[in-house]
């Protein structure tokens, strides 16, 4: 498993920082372990850190007053989140829950603001990250009520291959059917049926745990519902 320092140094934004700045970021940052089912972040809390996932799997979700929960997206190892609330200095609007035991990196607000104020490459990274997340959420609104279960699972899997949100994506997706269901808001049974359809279409190959994406462009086309 990566250490905190390795995760920071290998990040898309960290690779573009001067060595002395990266050493300072590492010294100022910390990590925290989150058990499966535990909160990496709570809705309504004051945001004091930019958060990255060292290892594990997280989901962002919002809850209605009646208890109904809607999943927004997943976060896999190497992903970062919370920059919008940190920049606006507002309370977090969503919960972030660990779907398996996870370790998170915590970059303090002061460090985050120093990087924004002094490094153009860091601002370019944030711009690309926030633009990618905006596109993801617009797609979520567009497709959530229009797609059937098969297309929803395809969309869920296809979003994991956005390099701005998920660094260094690989064809093999280390997710159980239960975890895919939690990310898609579907039952395990529906996910199982959808994966069978995607397998029959030649888009994925089912593995002992997880799956391998065989045709990413085909998966994206299937996910569009067209």
């Amino acid at each position: 498993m990566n250490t905190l320092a390795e995760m920071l140094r290998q990040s898309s934004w960290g690779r573009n920082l001067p060595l002395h700045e990266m050493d300072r970021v590492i010294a100022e940052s910390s990590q925290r372990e989150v058990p499966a089912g535990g909160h990496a972040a709570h809705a309504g809390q004051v945001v004091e850190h930019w958060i990255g996932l060292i290892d594990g799997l997280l989901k962002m979700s919002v809850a209605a007053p009646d208890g109904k929960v809607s999943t927004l997206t997943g976060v896999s190892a190497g992903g970062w989140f919370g920059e919008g609330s940190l920049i606006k200095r507002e309370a977090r609007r969503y919960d972030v829950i660990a779907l398996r035991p996870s370790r998170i990196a915590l970059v303090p607000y002061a460090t985050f603001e120093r990087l924004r104020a002094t490094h153009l490459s860091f601002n370019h990274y944030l711009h690309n990250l926030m633009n990618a997340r905006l596109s993801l959420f617009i797609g979520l609104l567009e497709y959530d009520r229009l797609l059937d279960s098969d297309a929803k699972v395809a969309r869920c899997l296809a979003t994991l291959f956005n390099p701005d949100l998920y660094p260094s994506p690989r064809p093999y997706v280390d997710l159980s059917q239960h975890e895919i269901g939690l990310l898609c808001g579907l039952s395990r049974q529906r996910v199982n049926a959808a994966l069978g359809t995607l397998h029959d279409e030649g888009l994925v190959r089912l593995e002992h745990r997880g799956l391998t994406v065989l045709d990413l462009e085909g998966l994206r086309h299937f996910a569009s519902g067209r």
Side-chain angles (χ1 to χ4, degrees):
M1 294 189 297
N2 281 345
T3 64
L4 171 64
E6 289 170 340
M7 187 264 195
L8 293 172
R9 291 188 189 280
Q10 294 169 8
S11 64
S12 300
W13 56 271
R15 291 195 296 265
N16 293 319
L17 292 180
L19 290 179
H20 72 275
E21 181 67 86
M22 188 74 257
D23 289 339
R24 187 176 177 186
V25 171
I26 292 171
E28 294 170 346
S29 301
S30 60
Q31 67 174 328
R32 179 164 66 87
E33 295 186 0
V34 185
H39 279 74
H42 289 269
Q45 71 179 169
V46 177
V47 180
E48 297 295 347
H49 297 88
W50 191 37
I51 303 178
L53 183 58
I54 303 173
D55 55 60
L57 179 66
L58 307 174
K59 72 166 184 175
M60 295 181 181
S61 61
V62 292
D66 63 3
K68 183 179 180 180
V69 176
S70 177
T71 297
L72 301 176
T73 187
V75 182
S76 58
W80 291 84
F81 62 90
E83 61 283 340
S85 297
L86 204 58
I87 290 171
K88 290 182 286 186
R89 299 302 286 158
E90 66 178 14
R92 195 179 305 280
R93 297 186 178 186
Y94 49 84
D95 292 305
V96 184
I97 300 170
L99 300 183
R100 63 177 72 155
S102 303
R103 283 188 302 143
I104 58 174
L106 303 170
V107 176
Y109 170 73
T111 303
F112 179 84
E113 281 299 295
R114 185 180 72 248
L115 294 177
R116 282 215 305 146
T118 58
H119 294 284
L120 183 61
S121 64
F122 186 72
N123 282 281
H124 284 165
Y125 170 83
L126 288 179
H127 176 83
N128 291 335
L129 177 64
M130 297 175 76
N131 185 59
R133 207 183 319 277
L134 176 61
S135 296
L136 172 67
F137 289 152
I138 289 175
L140 181 67
L141 290 172
E142 180 182 0
Y143 297 144
D144 189 50
R145 296 183 180 180
L146 301 178
L147 299 184
D148 60 22
S149 297
D150 294 349
K152 284 183 178 180
V153 171
R155 180 184 60 79
C156 178
L157 295 174
T159 60
L160 299 176
F161 289 84
N162 184 325
D164 290 318
L165 296 174
Y166 307 101
S168 303
R170 297 175 297 172
Y172 175 70
V173 178
D174 181 21
L175 292 177
S176 69
Q177 293 184 9
H178 175 66
E179 290 170 335
I180 294 173
L182 291 173
L183 293 178
C184 299
L186 299 171
S187 69
R188 186 182 182 281
Q189 291 75 15
R190 288 191 176 184
V191 169
N192 181 60
L195 291 177
T197 299
L198 299 178
H199 176 269
D200 292 343
E201 293 286 333
L203 303 176
V204 304
R205 181 176 67 241
L206 305 182
E207 312 287 359
H208 176 66
R209 174 190 167 88
L211 55 92
T212 298
V213 174
L214 303 175
D215 183 356
L216 179 56
E217 287 307 312
L219 191 68
R220 287 170 173 161
H221 183 75
F222 191 100
S224 71
R226 300 183 180 89

